[in-house]
């Protein structure tokens, strides 16, 4: 055990002063984090568009009762069966030899549409991105368009306040005339559905919707409730049944799998049974639809062909359709006015869709019915446009409406009138899509200005804070008052100007940020003038930031970003290799060459695990899962994952032994604790693999229970237990050896060497591992957080994260051997931050919404349970950035020994930690700045929403993740410094 000096021997004033220094140093990364947040807010307000919603509620206009208006006969009842993620090609069969599992399963809709074309029809149901369930439900019920930013609220559905056909049904027929079973998202959108009862009988049966690992509970529950409800058809007017199994099968296993076929066969049986139940009831309409589709892996959220092409099936025992081509494509929002006419309710006020021609024409192809419906919808859209100030200046669309109205009043050519009204509606829809793509450029520029100013401030801070001031607390004490006063002044000025210009939020945010930066500039003159030498390594670090940022100027480079990052890291590795050969000491030269070669290999290997995005096909092959059409990990990945549980602790041990630091707490923490945790992580994913096997269905519930037991134990140990033990105990990796020198003294006396005898202590003390006291202590905390992140990764992602830890340790060893920590303190933090982005791609992610691994939200619970759900998603998605930020203090601590009884030296170490943190922030902030600039310039690019917007969102999320990790790591580094000072002070 290490020798502990009694606390009483440590001057209390020094301990208090050191504690103050470590605490106040936190203000530096916190301030830069705040600047980045404010810049992101302003840029996002101008770029990520939102759609203004009008609160008006539609009522039937006089046109409904006009003698010239003839509408289709309405139905008394409507059954809406929503099969989540029902892709269009799931409805059908194949005679061309295609044996995909999803074919020839859900065949009833297609068979009926062919055999009874006046009773049934199948449509290609085109969704507007983002293809997430909540946004699709809003569009399917209101007829409005979602915007890109709406995708972020998929886990946080807010009540729909705008007009919708659901609201019209509830208001015109009473809350008790609806019935519902399925996805509880509907109740968050339409709370009134929860009041659906009839004669004290409940007609609402919601189920939690986000447990994508559960394929059967919701579907079985929905099916068990809809049959009794169907038998009581006089008790309701609209029945909504939302099935989730197909969507969950896609997320869990992929579309072309036996599990998907099983679910589609189940849905086919449901549709067939409902058709049979209403085949003698010509007053009931059946609507079967998908809210979106899925890509080849079973995910959705983006705008690929598979994601936007859902299926729609209409059926009634009464002939009500004009026969249609089975490949006919319609917009999803077209269902809203169509259902409104078939339910005999007003078309919702905000609707932008057009009536489905086949349902309006009817079997007799009566164009007067279609023209009448199109006229009413056109009037509704015209009324919406007249209430919306954004439509000013769209005279061309108004001319089409005037021409159609004139034709209605002067002609009986209803086919031409229908064409004119439909042209008006389509042109209006096009105008709306263009109009809601209008960016608030001043807000975007304001955000970029803050980013530029904060980036410059980071560089100035890094360049001036190099030891010319005694400690970080002195530096902060000099600048904090100026920064605070400048921020308050800027806030006040911004509030005044913003009030006058009606841009209050933007002006306040801009004024607060720029005021604090100007305060920093004002305070700089009080600091000593410093000339920091710029080494070639510093130039290389800044060049890496520039080269990475330039990638955002091209959509092709953004698509293939992972390969470019691999090139940058390999190039840096070769630079290290060249520098290694110049070392004069042969032993150090051999070690540096070895680690440089390892670093190069690691950089290349990190490029291998991948999930390909749509734009990379066919030049990319996904290898992250068992197959390109699956979301289940392979057996090989599991075997390698267990291998990392054995090898990674051994690798960490080898690095600690280079400084004799595998002592004290290290064997227990790394050799035993980390290995057991990683083995349990492997056990969890093994249970998941077995559960995914179709032959294990009988034991699925038991396996699920075991999984949650293992994951919760691991969560408690890695997120709570280990960090708390570290925080409270400061487990030093030291060993104290005592040597009895009595024999040596006696021998010296016998030899007449009185001087040696008098100078030799009777007992000598040697502390093994002293040379890496800080590094080994902090490394224990780092591997604990790594274990938590690894738990939240899929197996291949966990392997990649183990590789990231190994590569960080390799870089640290090179930094020590080549003296990079002293020559250029910015280079290693920059490279670690660069590695964070590289390993983001290596963990199965891309800069796309569809690559978010939503299923990990249920690692710890069967349903959405904050904060556990959010911890899993954050660690899974942003884990590499978090680990990168947490690793930064190691660039200071690695192989750093304490200075006993020198609290000024301890304060200086804290200053180096702060400076290293700003180095990583320079990289993250510079990358986000270039992303913002390129996104502003390319905002009218064809691929802006498909490529540049998701990459900006990733840049924004990563800079906040790294900044927060820097703040956290700075705090823990301060605690480590205090703990070491308590022992050696």
């Amino acid at each position: 055990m290490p020798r502990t000096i009694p606390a009483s021997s440590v001057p209390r004033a020094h301990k208090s002063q050191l504690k103050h220094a470590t605490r106040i140093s936190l203000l530096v990364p916190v301030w830069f984090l705040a600047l980045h947040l404010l810049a992101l807010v302003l840029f996002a307000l101008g770029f990520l568009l939102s759609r203004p919603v009008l609160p008006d509620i539609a009522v039937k206009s006089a046109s409904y009762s006009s003698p010239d208006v003839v509408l289709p006969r309405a139905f008394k009842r409507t059954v809406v069966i929503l099969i989540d993620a029902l892709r269009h090609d799931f409805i059908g069969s194949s005679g061309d030899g295609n044996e995909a599992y999803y074919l020839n399963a859900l065949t009833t809709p297609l068979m009926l549409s062919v055999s009874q074309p006046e009773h049934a029809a199948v449509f290609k149901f085109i969704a507007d991105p983002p293809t997430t369930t909540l946004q699709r439900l809003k569009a399917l019920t209101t007829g409005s368009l979602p915007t890109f930013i709406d995708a972020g609220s998929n886990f946080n559905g807010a009540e729909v306040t705008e007009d919708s056909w659901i609201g019209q049904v509830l208001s015109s027929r009473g809350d008790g005339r609806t019935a519902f079973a399925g996805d509880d998202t509907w109740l968050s959108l339409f709370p009134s559905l929860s009041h659906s009862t009839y004669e004290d009988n409940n007609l609402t049966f919601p189920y939690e919707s986000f447990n994508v690992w559960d394929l059967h509970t919701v579907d079985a529950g929905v099916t068990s409730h809809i049959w009794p409800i169907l038998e009581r058809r006089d008790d309701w007017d609209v029945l909504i049944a939302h099935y989730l199994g197909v969507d969950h099968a896609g997320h869990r296993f992929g579309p072309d799998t036996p599990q998907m076929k099983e679910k589609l066969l189940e849905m086919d049986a449901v549709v067939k049974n409902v058709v049979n139940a209403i085949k003698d009831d010509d007053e009931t309409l059946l609507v079967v639809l998908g809210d979106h589709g899925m890509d080849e892996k079973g995910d959705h959220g983006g705008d690929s062909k598979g994601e936007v092409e859902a299926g729609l099936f209409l059926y009634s025992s009464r002939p009500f359709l004009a026969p249609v081509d089975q490949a006919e494509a319609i917009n999803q929002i077209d269902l809203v006015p169509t259902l409104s006419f078939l339910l005999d309710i007003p078309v919702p006020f905000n609707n932008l869709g057009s009536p489905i021609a086949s349902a309006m024409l009817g079997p007799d192809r009566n164009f007067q019915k279609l023209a009448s419906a199109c006229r009413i919808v056109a009037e509704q859209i015209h009324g919406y446009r007249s209430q919306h100030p954004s439509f000013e200046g769209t005279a061309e669309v108004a001319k089409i409406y005037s021409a159609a109205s004139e034709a209605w009043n002067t002609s009986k050519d209803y086919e031409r009138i229908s064409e004119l009204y439909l042209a008006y509606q389509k042109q209006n829809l096009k105008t709306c899509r263009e109009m809601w793509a209008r960016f608030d450029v001043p807000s975007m520029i304001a955000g970029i200005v803050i980013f530029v100013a904060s980036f410059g401030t980071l560089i100035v801070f890094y360049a001036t804070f190099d030891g010319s001031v005694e400690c970080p607390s002195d530096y902060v004490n000099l600048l904090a008052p100026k920064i605070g006063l400048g921020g308050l002044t800027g806030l006040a000025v911004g509030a005044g100007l913003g009030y006058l210009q009606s841009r209050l939020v933007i002006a306040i945010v801009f004024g607060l940020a720029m005021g604090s930066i100007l305060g920093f500039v004002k305070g700089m003159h009080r600091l000593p003038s410093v000339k920091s030498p710029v080494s070639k390594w510093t130039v290389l670090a800044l060049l890496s930031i520039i080269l990475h940022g330039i990638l955002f100027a091209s959509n092709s480079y953004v698509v293939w970003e992972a390969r470019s990052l691999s090139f940058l890291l390999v190039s840096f590795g070769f630079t290290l290799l060249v520098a290694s050969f110049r070392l004069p000491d042969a032993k150090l030269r051999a070690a540096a060459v070895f680690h440089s070669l390892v670093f190069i290999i690691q950089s290349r290997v990190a490029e291998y695990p991948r999930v390909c995005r749509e734009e990379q096909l066919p030049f990319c092959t996904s290898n992250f899962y068992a197959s390109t059409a699956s979301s289940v990990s392979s057996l090989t990945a599991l075997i390698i994952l267990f291998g990392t549980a054995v090898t990674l602790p051994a690798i960490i041990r080898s690095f600690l032994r280079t400084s004799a630091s595998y002592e004290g707490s290290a064997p227990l923490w790394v050799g035993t604790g980390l290995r057991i945790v990683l083995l349990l992580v492997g056990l969890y994913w093994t249970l998941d693999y077995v559960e995914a096997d179709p032959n294990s269905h009988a034991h699925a519930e038991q396996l699920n229970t075991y999984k949650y037991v293992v994951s919760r134990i691991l969560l408690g140990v890695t997120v709570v237990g280990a960090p708390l033990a570290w925080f409270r105990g400061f487990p030093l990796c030291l060993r104290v050896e005592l040597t009895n020198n009595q024999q040596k003294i006696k021998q010296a006396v016998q030899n007449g060497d009185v001087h040696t005898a008098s100078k030799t202590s009777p007992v000598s003390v040697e502390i093994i591992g002293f040379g890496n006291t800080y590094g080994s202590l902090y490394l224990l905390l780092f591997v604990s957080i790594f274990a938590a992140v690894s738990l939240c990764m899929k197996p291949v992602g966990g392997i990649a994260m183990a590789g990231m830890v190994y590569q960080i340790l390799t870089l640290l060893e090179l930094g020590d051997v080549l003296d990079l920590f002293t020559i250029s303190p910015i280079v290693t933090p920059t490279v670690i931050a660069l590695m964070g982005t590289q390993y983001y791609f290596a963990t199965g992610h891309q800069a796309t919404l569809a690559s978010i691994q939503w299923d990990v939200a249920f690692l710890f619970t069967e349903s959405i349970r904050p904060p556990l759900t959010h911890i899993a998603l954050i660690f899974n998605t942003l884990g590499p950035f978090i680990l990168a930020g947490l690793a930064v203090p190691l660039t200071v601590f690695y192989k750093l020994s304490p200075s006993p009884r020198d609290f000024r030296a301890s304060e200086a170490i804290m200053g180096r930690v702060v400076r290293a943190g700003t180095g990583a922030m320079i990289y993250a902030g510079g990358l986000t700045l270039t992303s913002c600039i390129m996104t502003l310039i390319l905002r009218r690019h064809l691929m802006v929403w498909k490529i540049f917007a998701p990459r900006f969102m990733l840049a924004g999320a990563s800079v906040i993740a790294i900044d927060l990790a820097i703040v956290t790591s700075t705090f823990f580094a301060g605690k480590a410094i205090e703990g070491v000072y308590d022992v050696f002070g």
Side-chain angles (χ1 to χ4, degrees):
M1 294 295 292
R3 179 175 60 90
T4 303
I5 300 175
S8 59
S9 67
V10 180
R12 292 181 179 273
H14 289 176
K15 290 180 65 177
S16 176
Q17 188 171 343
L18 179 61
K19 186 175 182 179
H20 172 74
T22 58
R23 295 298 183 272
I24 201 170
S25 297
L26 277 173
L27 293 177
V28 175
V30 167
W31 180 49
F32 286 118
L33 166 64
L35 290 177
H36 287 160
L37 275 172
L38 294 175
L40 278 174
V41 167
L42 284 189
F43 190 87
L45 284 175
F47 177 63
L48 297 178
L49 310 168
S50 59
R51 174 180 56 86
V53 175
L54 299 180
D56 305 62
I57 304 298
V59 295
K60 285 189 176 181
S61 65
S63 295
Y64 278 86
S65 56
S66 171
D68 293 330
V69 169
V70 180
L71 295 173
R73 176 184 164 192
F75 292 90
K76 289 184 179 180
R77 288 170 296 276
T78 299
V79 178
V80 178
I81 297 179
L82 197 156
I83 302 176
D84 208 293
L86 179 64
R87 205 166 71 186
H88 176 258
D89 57 352
F90 289 178
I91 306 176
S93 58
S94 174
D96 58 2
N98 189 339
E99 298 180 359
Y101 282 106
Y102 55 78
L103 295 175
N104 303 308
L106 182 52
T107 57
T108 297
L110 190 59
M111 291 172 58
L112 287 173
S113 65
V114 172
S115 62
Q116 304 177 43
E118 295 181 350
H119 297 261
V122 172
F123 299 89
K124 189 177 290 184
F125 207 33
I126 306 300
D128 287 290
T131 49
T132 48
T133 293
L134 186 140
Q135 284 65 47
R136 293 289 81 235
L137 293 184
K138 288 181 178 180
L140 285 166
T141 53
T142 64
S144 57
L145 294 175
T147 56
F148 193 86
I149 197 172
D150 287 338
S153 62
N154 202 42
F155 276 94
N156 185 30
E159 181 180 356
V160 172
T161 56
E162 61 185 305
D163 199 7
S164 66
W165 65 262
I166 292 286
Q168 289 286 351
V169 169
L170 293 174
S171 62
S172 63
R173 304 188 185 187
D175 292 352
R177 302 301 296 177
T178 59
F180 171 77
D183 185 346
D184 61 354
T185 303
W186 285 84
L187 299 190
S188 66
L189 297 177
F190 305 101
S192 296
L193 284 176
S194 61
H195 303 147
S196 296
T197 58
Y198 185 78
E199 294 182 353
D200 298 325
N201 291 316
N202 184 31
L203 295 177
T204 303
F205 305 95
Y207 292 86
E208 290 189 345
S209 58
F210 280 104
N211 188 355
V212 296
W213 287 354
D214 184 351
L215 274 61
H216 307 292
T217 300
V218 175
D219 289 4
V222 173
T223 300
S224 68
H225 290 302
I226 63 172
W227 304 129
I229 294 175
L230 281 171
E231 292 175 358
R232 296 162 46 203
R233 64 189 64 178
D234 291 334
D235 298 351
W236 50 268
D237 296 320
V238 175
L239 164 61
I240 300 171
H242 190 151
Y243 286 89
L244 294 169
V246 170
D247 179 65
H248 290 186
H251 284 299
R252 185 75 172 89
F253 304 103
D256 192 11
T257 57
Q259 292 84 354
M260 179 61 76
K261 189 176 190 69
E262 179 184 342
K263 291 308 299 182
L264 290 174
L265 287 170
E266 179 185 337
M267 292 300 98
D268 188 64
V270 169
V271 173
K272 186 179 298 183
N273 290 334
V274 173
V275 168
N276 290 333
I278 65 173
K279 65 181 180 181
D280 297 324
D281 179 5
D282 66 357
E283 294 294 343
T284 299
L285 170 68
L286 172 63
V287 180
V288 180
L289 70 149
D291 53 344
H292 50 75
M294 61 178 66
D295 62 17
E296 63 175 9
K297 296 190 291 76
D299 296 324
H300 57 88
D303 62 351
S304 68
K305 182 175 183 289
E307 292 170 275
V308 300
E309 290 187 355
L312 171 66
F313 170 61
L314 301 178
Y315 171 82
S316 174
S317 61
R318 178 212 305 172
F320 75 108
L321 293 167
V324 297
D325 182 353
Q326 300 299 333
E328 182 176 341
I330 61 173
N331 292 315
Q332 283 196 347
I333 56 176
D334 293 347
L335 182 65
V336 173
T338 304
L339 275 183
S340 298
F341 290 122
L342 297 179
L343 289 170
D344 191 25
I345 57 175
V347 178
F349 187 84
N350 294 288
N351 165 68
L352 298 173
S354 304
I356 299 173
S358 174
M360 299 298 103
L361 287 170
D364 56 350
R365 297 187 64 81
N366 187 334
F367 276 96
Q368 186 175 3
K369 292 181 181 179
L370 177 59
S372 299
C374 289
R375 171 175 169 75
I376 290 174
V377 172
E379 285 184 343
Q380 166 261 314
I381 292 175
H382 183 69
Y384 170 70
R385 289 170 56 86
S386 65
Q387 296 293 321
H388 205 303
S390 300
F391 284 110
E392 295 177 3
T394 55
E396 190 65 30
V397 180
K399 287 180 181 179
I400 302 176
Y401 177 73
S402 299
S405 299
E406 183 179 354
W408 173 268
N409 294 325
T410 61
S411 171
K412 297 299 182 183
D413 186 353
Y414 291 113
E415 184 172 2
R416 178 175 175 273
I417 293 170
S418 301
E419 292 173 354
L420 286 171
Y421 277 127
L422 287 172
Y424 164 71
Q425 292 154 24
K426 291 178 180 179
Q427 185 62 38
N428 175 73
L429 184 59
K430 179 182 177 182
T431 301
C432 288
R433 287 193 172 112
E434 294 173 350
M435 181 183 66
W436 291 328
R438 291 178 184 170
F439 304 96
D440 186 352
V441 175
S443 181
M444 296 172 71
I445 292 176
I448 289 175
V449 169
I450 296 176
F451 263 124
V452 171
S454 63
F455 184 71
T457 305
L458 272 165
I459 292 178
V460 170
F461 182 92
Y462 176 85
T464 58
F465 184 57
D466 66 344
S468 59
V469 184
E470 285 188 275
C471 65
S473 58
D474 295 336
Y475 198 98
V476 174
N477 287 333
L478 286 171
L479 291 177
K482 298 289 185 180
I483 293 173
L485 181 60
L488 291 175
T489 303
L491 188 150
V493 173
L497 294 176
Y499 179 78
L500 295 175
Q501 300 294 324
S502 300
R503 302 298 297 269
L504 189 61
V505 174
I506 294 176
I508 287 177
V509 172
F510 186 79
L512 177 62
M514 293 305 297
S516 65
I517 292 173
L518 292 174
F520 172 85
V521 174
K522 178 69 174 176
M524 286 298 297
H525 75 278
R526 300 182 59 187
L527 299 173
S529 178
V530 178
K531 293 183 179 179
S532 298
V534 179
S535 71
K536 62 181 180 181
W537 294 104
T538 301
V539 173
L540 182 62
L542 296 176
L543 183 62
S544 298
I545 299 173
I546 295 170
L547 290 176
H548 192 177
I550 289 175
L551 296 179
F552 301 144
S554 166
N555 58 300
S556 298
Y557 279 111
V558 172
V559 168
W560 295 98
E561 182 178 358
R563 291 190 180 180
S564 300
L565 295 180
S566 177
F567 171 78
L568 288 176
L569 286 172
V570 169
S571 300
F572 179 74
F574 274 107
T575 307
L576 293 171
L577 183 62
V578 171
S580 300
F581 281 110
R582 297 177 179 175
L583 291 173
D585 185 275
K587 186 175 180 181
L588 289 179
R589 183 169 61 250
V593 168
F594 170 76
H595 286 297
S596 297
L597 291 173
V598 170
F599 186 89
I600 293 170
I601 294 171
Q602 290 167 332
S603 300
R604 294 297 297 174
V605 171
E607 186 189 349
Y608 177 73
R610 70 182 74 90
V611 171
C612 302
R613 57 188 293 164
E614 180 191 6
E615 298 85 357
Q616 294 175 331
L617 302 175
F619 308 106
C620 175
T621 302
S622 298
N623 56 23
F624 193 80
Y625 297 106
S627 69
T628 56
S630 173
S631 295
V632 179
S633 299
S634 66
L635 181 60
T636 302
L638 287 174
I639 295 172
I640 298 174
L641 184 63
F642 276 107
T644 62
V646 177
T647 57
L648 184 63
I651 289 170
I652 296 174
R653 178 183 62 196
S654 69
F655 278 95
L656 287 174
R657 281 182 171 172
T658 62
S659 58
S661 299
Y662 196 69
E663 303 289 348
S665 303
L668 176 63
W669 204 283
V670 176
T672 302
L674 179 61
R675 181 166 284 128
I676 291 174
V677 166
L678 294 180
L679 286 171
L680 287 175
V681 171
L683 174 62
Y684 174 90
W685 288 110
T686 301
L687 292 171
D688 178 75
Y689 179 84
V690 174
E691 184 190 18
D693 190 329
N695 298 322
S696 302
H697 282 178
H699 306 287
E701 185 174 350
Q702 189 175 12
L703 290 169
N704 209 35
T705 301
Y706 293 156
K707 282 170 53 182
Y708 286 127
V709 169
V710 172
S711 65
R712 290 168 185 172
I713 290 174
L714 288 172
L715 179 69
V717 170
T718 58
V719 176
V720 180
L724 185 62
W726 185 92
F727 188 82
R728 299 298 298 271
F730 295 113
L732 298 175
C733 304
L734 304 173
R735 178 168 56 88
V736 177
E737 287 190 354
L738 302 178
T739 303
N740 190 333
N741 295 323
Q742 294 292 345
Q743 186 63 32
K744 183 178 180 180
I745 295 173
K746 183 177 180 181
Q747 186 66 36
V749 171
Q750 290 176 352
N751 295 334
D753 189 354
V754 179
H755 178 75
T756 300
S758 63
K759 293 294 184 181
T760 302
S761 173
V763 178
S764 61
V765 179
E766 182 180 5
I767 302 177
I768 309 300
F770 183 79
N772 192 23
T773 301
Y774 289 104
S776 57
L777 171 62
Y778 189 85
L779 185 61
L780 298 188
L781 174 68
F782 177 75
V783 297
S784 300
I785 305 302
F786 151 75
V789 171
S790 180
L791 167 63
C792 299
M793 294 290 178
K794 301 289 184 72
V796 176
I799 297 167
M801 294 311 299
M804 181 179 180
V805 172
Y806 184 16
Q807 191 167 12
I808 288 174
L809 291 172
T810 302
L811 179 64
L812 293 173
E813 191 66 27
L814 285 165
D816 175 64
V817 174
L818 296 173
D819 200 24
L820 297 181
F821 303 147
T822 303
I823 298 173
S824 177
I826 193 176
V827 68
T828 45
T830 298
V831 174
I832 288 175
L834 179 65
M835 287 164 54
T837 308
Q838 170 74 344
Y839 281 93
Y840 168 82
F841 294 106
T843 53
H845 296 93
Q846 288 282 354
T848 62
L849 289 174
S851 74
I852 298 176
Q853 298 167 12
W854 297 108
D855 51 340
V856 301
F858 306 97
L859 278 169
F860 310 120
T861 61
E862 294 182 351
S863 58
I864 302 298
R865 291 288 183 272
L868 299 182
T869 297
H870 301 79
I871 288 173
L873 278 175
I874 291 171
F875 276 11
N876 174 270
T877 307
L878 300 175
F881 302 110
I882 294 171
L883 278 188
L886 290 174
V888 168
L890 285 170
T891 64
V892 175
F893 286 163
Y894 193 68
K895 295 190 177 180
L896 179 67
S897 59
S899 299
R901 300 186 180 279
D902 187 353
F903 81 97
R904 285 294 185 185
S906 297
E907 286 187 330
I909 293 172
M910 189 65 200
R912 290 174 60 190
V913 169
V914 171
R915 194 179 189 212
T918 59
M921 284 181 160
I922 287 173
Y923 168 84
L927 206 64
T928 308
L929 168 61
T930 53
S931 176
C932 290
I933 292 173
M934 295 305 174
T935 302
L936 173 65
I937 295 172
L938 300 171
R939 65 188 183 279
R940 294 299 179 189
H941 192 281
L942 179 65
M943 293 294 180
V944 63
W945 298 116
K946 194 175 185 67
I947 294 177
F948 295 108
R951 189 57 187 87
F952 156 70
M953 295 175 72
L954 173 59
S958 63
V959 71
I960 298 305
I962 289 178
D963 286 0
L964 282 172
I966 293 295
V967 172
T968 304
S969 65
T970 303
F971 170 77
F972 281 114
K975 296 302 294 184
I977 292 170
E978 293 174 29
V980 171
Y981 185 76
D982 282 348
V983 175
F984 294 102

